[in-house]
Amino acid sequence: MLSTSAIAAMPTAHANEVKVGLGHYLTHLRAGGEREPPAVLPTADGKPRPVPTNQWYSSLFFARWPQPLYAQPGSYRVTDEGFHIDRPLKEAALSPQREENDIIAMHRSTLTLVADFEMKGAKAGRSSDWAVDVVAGDDKDAMTVTIAHGSPYSFHRLTRGDVTFRAMQPLVVFDQSADGRALGIVADNKAFGIYAPTGGKFEVQADGRVRLTLPDHKRFFSVAVLPSKDAGVLAEFHKRAYGFITDTRADYVYDEKHGEVTTTFTVKTEVMEGSDSGTLFGLYPHQWYRNPLVNITLPYEYDTIRGPLKLLAGSKFQTRLKFNGIMPFWPGLGDAEQIGKLKEYLATDTQFGPDNLLGNRGTYWEGKGFNRALQVMNIAEQQGDVARRNLILDAMKKRLELWFKPEDNAERYFHYNKSVGTVIGYPDEYGSAQEVNDHHFHYGYWIQGAAQVALRDPAWAAKDKWGGMVDLLVADIATPDRGNPMFPRLRNFDPYEGHAWAAGLAQFYDGNNQESSSEAINAWAALILWGEATGNKAVRDTGIYLYTHEVQSAEFYWFDLHKLVFPKDYLNTAAGIVWSNKFVHNTWWTEDPREIHGINFLPITTASVYLGRDPAYIKRNLATMDREFKKFISRDGKAPKDIWQDVILATLALADPAEALKQWNPEGSVEDGETRTHTYHWLQTLARFGKPRLDLSADTPLFAVFGNDGGATTYMAYNSSATPKKVMFSDGTELRLAPRAMGMKTIAAGAAKGKK
């Protein structure tokens, strides 16, 4: 990964420039009028550190009173009235304009904890991979509460005094343990367990409040959101109520030989009483579904916005996912008629020069320009048009260098914001500066472009040339390092939810959100390719970990392929935006269904083959989209009838290549990140090779497998190294690859597999 300490020590030509290889970033804003993030609140310990933006708890760092924190199955909020706990329940919320339901599980502040001192605000305490300490109070007196994804518990420590529990209606006690330490209560028809230390005393007051008096030397307790009002449940949760979480870790290993990613989730606890050092994990569907590595024996579960959370007791668990590979590009077309047509599209798409492909806007749209350019470049190269390839390659290098080493008065540059701990590209777009939004969306395109350059010019990508600046962008969105002095670990990625978040500050009552799961996946695919192209296995393996998990979470929470998440009153086949507490069929900028569906398909790249896992789902998804679009137009919706046809038909081609080709209109609309060259090549390639075979893996990360309706299977792989390579597929097929080259072979149905 990026050696941030070495970078900081490099000499600079100007005091505000930090040299990185041949490039540099700025430590202050150049023009003085640029947007920048808000001030960061001090943490509870007062020590400056990179802020974990883009997490479910990030509002703690930017507001005195943070927004609700949705940990699943509980939600939490601090106000001047106290510390609020809820178990959010799903509700259907009708959108009259769209004539459909969204599904929301909103925080209601059902149970309120009031300390004997005033809550004067909240600060962030220690945080780990999926847990955070919320410190409510002031520098003198505070309640420190540890909450964690998947944990039914909140763990409370007081500096002094006792605590009172109240709700809108009088609390109802449904059970108390024989030793008096566990009290089961009901608030607003929701069950909670309160677990006191030995010597603690509960008093049910006349007004329906509950007072907990704590011993002087044991000012701690825990609260559990319970799955049901039951004495047995209260007792079961009591067993692990005193193992206060102090650390959480999600450690991953990529097994290249078997094409698998194993993640180990480990919790450390401080045992406040008793001897049980374990805890209860609430496993999300993507963690427990078809997972042979977990043995769930407890009969309790929660119905949450993420679907059923199942409880597992212990201190660790594991998941294992297959990595289905990506290719840097696909081979050229071989049919003479297709080649002629493709040459026409190449000529048209490049008629105004490669700079026109790259565009001229801010970090997001110039990023999409890199994708547009590299797709055309790859196709030109595979068709033997080396001259056109070289023109685009040189233009991509110059554009990257323009940003990586800006002139003194240049408007385009990268700035390191020390207060937050993030790299911001200017001109910024979509809140990437003032809200630290979408960095993985933006920089994923840049890293992808740099990786394609590196495959062809490894010297350009060396750390002492331009690679160091690319590593800076990689580290901003996805450094795996704990304790990195410049950046938070895996800024955008939530290891427990298994996907990224887009909003940097998370200052919404609904928590955090992510719209385009596919652009997150594009970013992680870029890390894989950059790591392979530069020989950096740490970056590559991090990319594979992020890619496999983001794909899996998209299949569960954006598409619900396994029908475990969307309730019956959600009539859509996909979510447009997934929030901490809801999923909605919408986008940030339009209610056009073609864009609502398409935003979770684009950009279409060779890493998009995961979308073809369930061809029947693709057809169902797009059929629903067509019906929705007719309604949208009928209520005076404004959009071309073929808007994003290239993105949508490229997705359909993963299920039905012939039908996609039939529907494509070469004279029709072109999405801003696409070209006719790329769409035509994509459709014809899938018509030739068939649908992706995601049941197979290989002992290399850069590979793909396709199967056509006639039973033939096509295997391809790419060797990014300078030495020959043998690739073995999981069905026994073998490919031998020359250095820095692609290999491919097609085996007919029933033919013997073997060497090439």
Side-chain angles (χ1 to χ4, degrees):
M1 290 299 295
L2 179 69
S3 177
T4 50
S5 58
I7 285 175
M10 289 182 180
T12 60
H14 302 286
N16 65 308
E17 296 177 0
V18 177
K19 185 175 173 61
V20 184
L22 295 180
H24 62 254
Y25 63 86
L26 304 187
T27 57
H28 82 286
L29 298 179
R30 174 158 282 171
E34 296 94 330
R35 292 169 290 204
E36 56 183 322
V40 179
L41 297 179
T43 57
D45 63 8
K47 297 178 181 178
R49 60 175 65 91
V51 178
T53 61
N54 305 85
Q55 291 298 318
W56 57 281
Y57 54 83
S58 292
S59 67
L60 272 170
F61 294 89
F62 298 96
R64 176 187 175 196
W65 302 111
Q67 296 290 347
L69 307 176
Y70 294 91
Q72 312 296 351
S75 61
Y76 308 90
R77 194 183 191 196
V78 183
T79 72
D80 56 0
E81 295 180 343
F83 189 89
H84 305 280
I85 303 176
D86 190 25
R87 179 191 167 193
L89 301 178
K90 291 185 293 188
E91 303 172 32
L94 177 65
S95 169
Q97 185 174 359
R98 287 183 280 119
E99 300 175 348
E100 59 191 28
N101 288 328
D102 295 327
I103 305 298
I104 302 176
M106 186 175 293
H107 173 82
R108 303 285 187 188
S109 295
T110 298
L111 182 66
T112 301
L113 287 62
V114 182
D116 286 347
F117 47 83
E118 183 181 358
M119 297 288 189
K120 296 182 179 180
K123 296 180 180 180
R126 64 187 171 188
S127 60
S128 53
D129 286 3
W130 68 90
V132 66
D133 284 359
V134 181
V135 183
D138 58 23
D139 293 338
K140 179 181 178 182
D141 288 308
M143 177 190 294
T144 299
V145 187
T146 303
I147 56 178
H149 265 331
S151 176
Y153 300 104
S154 54
F155 303 100
H156 302 250
R157 304 171 193 252
L158 296 173
T159 53
R160 68 172 180 86
D162 303 314
V163 65
T164 299
F165 299 82
R166 62 175 175 80
M168 294 295 293
Q169 302 294 327
L171 297 171
V172 176
V173 176
F174 69 83
D175 191 53
Q176 186 167 10
S177 63
D179 63 7
R181 293 186 302 159
L183 187 73
I185 60 172
V186 175
D188 192 24
N189 295 317
K190 300 171 184 176
F192 300 86
I194 308 171
Y195 301 99
T198 300
K201 293 182 180 180
F202 291 104
E203 177 191 356
V204 181
Q205 299 177 335
D207 60 0
R209 302 186 182 198
V210 172
R211 177 78 170 169
L212 172 58
T213 304
L214 296 166
D216 288 339
H217 60 292
K218 292 185 177 182
R219 297 208 175 273
F220 63 84
F221 60 93
S222 62
V223 180
V225 291
L226 301 179
S228 62
K229 181 185 72 174
D230 182 89
V233 173
L234 182 70
E236 183 65 43
F237 279 60
H238 196 185
K239 296 176 184 177
R240 299 165 189 88
Y242 303 104
F244 281 34
I245 292 175
T246 58
D247 190 30
T248 58
R249 292 178 64 104
D251 296 305
Y252 54 90
V253 176
Y254 168 52
D255 179 350
E256 186 170 352
K257 181 179 179 180
H258 297 99
E260 295 176 335
V261 179
T262 300
T263 306
T264 303
F265 297 84
T266 306
V267 159
K268 288 185 178 180
T269 61
E270 178 183 355
V271 180
M272 309 299 285
E273 284 195 358
S275 59
D276 196 322
S277 61
T279 192
L280 290 176
F281 295 99
L283 268 59
Y284 287 43
H286 75 275
Q287 294 167 329
W288 60 256
Y289 183 69
R290 295 180 180 173
N291 182 1
L293 301 182
V294 298
N295 181 24
I296 296 176
T297 58
L298 294 174
Y300 315 116
E301 66 178 51
Y302 298 85
D303 184 19
T304 75
I305 197 67
R306 295 290 178 267
L309 262 67
K310 295 180 180 290
L311 286 175
L312 177 71
S315 59
K316 67 173 59 178
F317 69 93
Q318 290 184 313
T319 63
R320 183 168 294 150
L321 299 177
K322 278 286 184 182
F323 173 54
N324 295 119
I326 64 171
M327 285 289 290
F329 41 75
W330 286 348
L333 302 182
D335 178 85
E337 182 178 348
Q338 294 174 12
I339 291 172
K341 182 62 69 175
L342 190 59
K343 285 182 177 179
E344 292 179 18
Y345 294 137
L346 276 166
T348 300
D349 285 334
T350 59
Q351 63 181 317
F352 300 112
D355 269 356
N356 188 64
L357 285 171
L358 289 166
N360 184 17
R361 295 165 76 174
T363 50
Y364 178 71
W365 285 102
E366 288 215 25
K368 284 178 72 80
F370 279 118
N371 180 67
R372 189 167 52 229
L374 71 86
Q375 301 298 346
V376 174
M377 178 186 71
N378 289 340
I379 293 166
E381 178 182 78
Q382 292 304 302
Q383 298 301 143
D385 191 345
V386 177
R388 198 183 307 266
R389 186 279 310 268
N390 288 341
L391 286 173
I392 300 173
L393 181 64
D394 288 344
M396 288 174 59
K397 288 180 182 179
K398 289 177 182 177
R399 183 62 61 87
L400 288 164
E401 293 166 14
L402 180 69
W403 283 76
F404 289 167
K405 190 178 182 180
E407 298 298 327
D408 287 346
N409 296 317
E411 294 181 354
R412 298 169 174 173
Y413 64 95
F414 286 101
H415 160 68
Y416 178 71
N417 182 292
K418 186 176 180 180
S419 174
V420 173
T422 185
V423 170
I424 300 170
Y426 291 98
D428 61 295
E429 292 178 309
Y430 304 111
S432 61
Q434 74 271 30
E435 298 175 33
V436 202
N437 290 347
D438 301 351
H439 282 204
H440 60 324
F441 294 165
H442 294 216
Y443 300 160
Y445 288 112
W446 290 70
I447 298 163
Q448 186 76 252
Q452 292 288 345
V453 172
L455 287 174
R456 296 159 175 87
D457 188 351
W460 181 93
K463 290 182 182 294
D464 60 350
K465 297 290 183 63
W466 301 103
M469 285 297 293
V470 181
D471 284 340
L472 189 76
L473 301 185
V474 170
D476 181 74
I477 63 173
T479 179
D481 302 334
R482 294 179 175 86
N484 188 305
M486 289 183 68
F487 303 105
R489 183 177 190 264
L490 301 178
R491 178 188 307 282
N492 288 94
F493 192 73
D494 186 325
Y496 207 87
E497 289 244 358
H499 62 80
W501 295 114
L505 313 185
Q507 290 183 324
F508 301 95
Y509 195 91
D510 296 311
N512 213 320
N513 74 90
Q514 179 166 262
E515 186 176 56
S516 183
S517 59
S518 50
E519 285 185 297
I521 290 165
N522 178 64
W524 313 143
L527 264 62
I528 298 170
L529 200 57
W530 175 251
E532 269 291 291
T534 59
N536 190 328
K537 288 193 174 183
V539 169
R540 181 201 69 178
D541 292 0
T542 297
I544 291 171
Y545 160 70
L546 297 171
Y547 178 91
T548 55
H549 285 78
E550 194 88 39
V551 165
Q552 185 194 41
S553 288
E555 292 173 352
F556 275 90
Y557 308 121
W558 276 259
F559 302 143
D560 193 22
L561 291 190
H562 306 291
K563 299 182 178 180
L564 293 168
V565 179
F566 297 168
K568 292 181 179 179
D569 45 6
Y570 185 73
L571 303 179
N572 299 297
T573 53
I577 308 174
V578 169
W579 288 79
S580 294
N581 76 333
K582 65 183 179 182
F583 42 88
V584 300
H585 194 243
N586 210 342
T587 73
W588 280 101
W589 78 95
T590 182
E591 292 186 346
D592 174 2
R594 292 177 71 90
E595 294 175 88
I596 294 172
H597 287 254
I599 194 59
N600 280 292
F601 301 152
L602 63 76
I604 298 298
T605 75
T606 51
S608 301
V609 292
Y610 71 92
L611 290 167
R613 185 168 320 271
D614 186 342
Y617 170 76
I618 291 178
K619 294 180 179 180
R620 188 169 70 251
N621 179 306
L622 298 183
T624 304
M625 178 201 70
D626 287 340
R627 293 193 295 270
E628 294 164 2
F629 189 68
K630 289 178 182 178
K631 288 184 180 180
F632 172 73
I633 295 297
S634 70
R635 60 176 184 259
D636 202 29
K638 303 296 184 183
K641 291 188 177 181
D642 67 346
I643 188 170
W644 287 18
Q645 62 147 352
D646 35 22
V647 172
I648 290 161
L649 293 176
T651 305
L652 176 60
L654 294 166
D656 191 338
E659 181 61 25
L661 262 172
K662 179 181 176 182
Q663 291 187 29
W664 184 53
N665 176 13
E667 305 304 320
S669 69
V670 179
E671 192 269 328
D672 281 347
E674 272 294 350
T675 61
R676 290 181 173 86
T677 297
H678 180 230
T679 300
Y680 183 75
H681 180 268
W682 175 276
L683 297 178
Q684 292 291 2
T685 298
L686 289 171
R688 174 186 176 189
F689 296 127
K691 292 172 283 194
R693 287 279 308 272
L694 301 181
D695 57 319
L696 298 177
S697 59
D699 60 358
T700 189
L702 304 185
F703 75 94
V705 186
F706 301 89
N708 66 22
D709 291 340
T713 303
T714 298
Y715 305 80
M716 58 181 74
Y718 185 83
N719 177 14
S720 62
S721 73
T723 58
K725 185 173 186 176
K726 181 180 75 172
V727 173
M728 184 68 71
F729 291 83
S730 56
D731 65 354
T733 302
E734 182 181 305
L735 276 179
R736 294 185 181 273
L737 307 177
R740 306 194 190 284
M742 176 170 56
M744 181 180 72
K745 72 175 174 181
T746 298
I747 299 177
K753 302 177 178 66
K755 300 178 181 178
K756 179 181 178 181

